[in-house]
Amino acid sequence: MTYMISPSLMCMNLIEIKSQLEVLDTRADFLHIDIMDGHYVKNITLSPFFIEQIRPHTNLKIDVHLMVEEPSDFIDAVANAGADYICPHAETINRDAFRIINQIRKHNKKVGVVLNPATPVEYIKHYIHLLDKITVMTVDPGYAGQPFIPEMLNKIQELAALKKEHGYNYLIEIDGSCNTKTFHDLLGAGAEVLIVGTSGLFNLDPNLAVAWDKMTANIRQAEQAA
């Protein structure tokens, strides 16, 4: 079973950002950065400036999740700051999805789209073939630490089946409550990228290297049970 790990930096200890980035840079596959505008969700987190500050200190691909009302207002800034993947919510782009996709492509960046729990795969059917990554929210967006929504396993399975049937190239990524309680079901459903936050990684141990080892042991145990 192949999977990749994308730590959510909004959950890291920002006081220890340099040392924590050094730990992640040799272990993770992506760095996940949430940008919230306080309107699409009632929270404000990281920013294009944050991307610009960490870009020189990591070789990992930076994956930006845009939880914003107007993604087009942010795309140029996050691209220029050093993002590798830019992923707006389908609910915010469907009135101009092809224009948004082209805006991201003009920067030679990978295109992702994020689906809220109540948003069906059908919603993106006309441009699913253009996507490099699809993120399934397994919690409602906006805050860390919410409970897993088990109905999303069917959505992951649907995306995995479509990918196999049509030869699509998108990665299937999971955002929300990826931890020891859910690893087995997520991987079994077809998840390929796991975004890990407080419960999956950062709260496992004050020493991030130790926490990482505990997380990977939890995932290995889930794989063996699959």
Side-chain angles (χ1 to χ4, degrees), residues 99-157:
R99 184 162 62 245
I100 293 292
I101 289 169
N102 288 335
Q103 185 182 1
I104 296 171
R105 290 272 187 239
K106 279 197 291 188
H107 289 281
N108 294 315
K109 306 300 182 180
K110 299 287 189 180
V111 178
V113 74
V114 185
L115 296 174
N116 278 337
T119 303
V121 174
E122 176 82 2
Y123 201 69
I124 61 171
K125 69 177 182 179
H126 293 299
Y127 57 88
I128 191 171
H129 59 290
L130 300 175
L131 300 175
D132 299 300
K133 183 158 64 66
I134 299 174
T135 303
V136 176
M137 296 294 298
T138 54
V139 300
D140 286 321
Y143 297 92
Q146 297 183 78
F148 180 76
I149 300 173
E151 289 85 351
M152 295 306 99
L153 293 172
N154 290 334
K155 186 183 291 185
I156 298 166
Q157 290 170 340

Side-chain angles (χ1 to χ4, degrees), residues 127-195:
Y127 57 88
I128 191 171
H129 59 290
L130 300 175
L131 300 175
D132 299 300
K133 183 158 64 66
I134 299 174
T135 303
V136 176
M137 296 294 298
T138 54
V139 300
D140 286 321
Y143 297 92
Q146 297 183 78
F148 180 76
I149 300 173
E151 289 85 351
M152 295 306 99
L153 293 172
N154 290 334
K155 186 183 291 185
I156 298 166
Q157 290 170 340
E158 182 180 358
L159 287 168
L162 285 170
K163 180 176 180 176
K164 182 177 180 180
E165 179 183 356
H166 297 285
Y168 295 144
N169 294 315
Y170 56 73
L171 293 170
I172 302 171
E173 180 178 70
I174 312 303
D175 190 353
S177 201
C178 292
N179 54 45
T180 187
K181 295 178 181 179
T182 61
F183 287 146
H184 174 270
D185 289 340
L186 292 172
L187 293 173
E192 296 170 315
V193 184
L194 302 173
I195 296 172

Side-chain angles (χ1 to χ4, degrees), residues 80-99:
N80 292 332
D84 297 289
Y85 283 75
I86 302 177
C87 309
H89 274 255
E91 303 83 10
T92 67
I93 69 168
N94 266 22
R95 64 179 180 260
D96 53 0
F98 290 89
R99 184 162 62 245

Side-chain angles (χ1 to χ4, degrees), residues 46-101:
L46 306 175
S47 69
F49 179 71
F50 180 81
I51 301 168
E52 184 181 325
Q53 292 297 298
I54 70 166
R55 178 72 279 178
H57 301 286
T58 180
N59 294 313
L60 296 176
K61 293 187 182 302
I62 293 178
D63 176 31
V64 178
H65 178 183
L66 293 178
M67 281 180 266
V68 299
E69 288 283 1
E70 298 290 344
S72 61
D73 293 344
F74 289 81
I75 287 169
D76 294 348
V78 300
N80 292 332
D84 297 289
Y85 283 75
I86 302 177
C87 309
H89 274 255
E91 303 83 10
T92 67
I93 69 168
N94 266 22
R95 64 179 180 260
D96 53 0
F98 290 89
R99 184 162 62 245
I100 293 292
I101 289 169

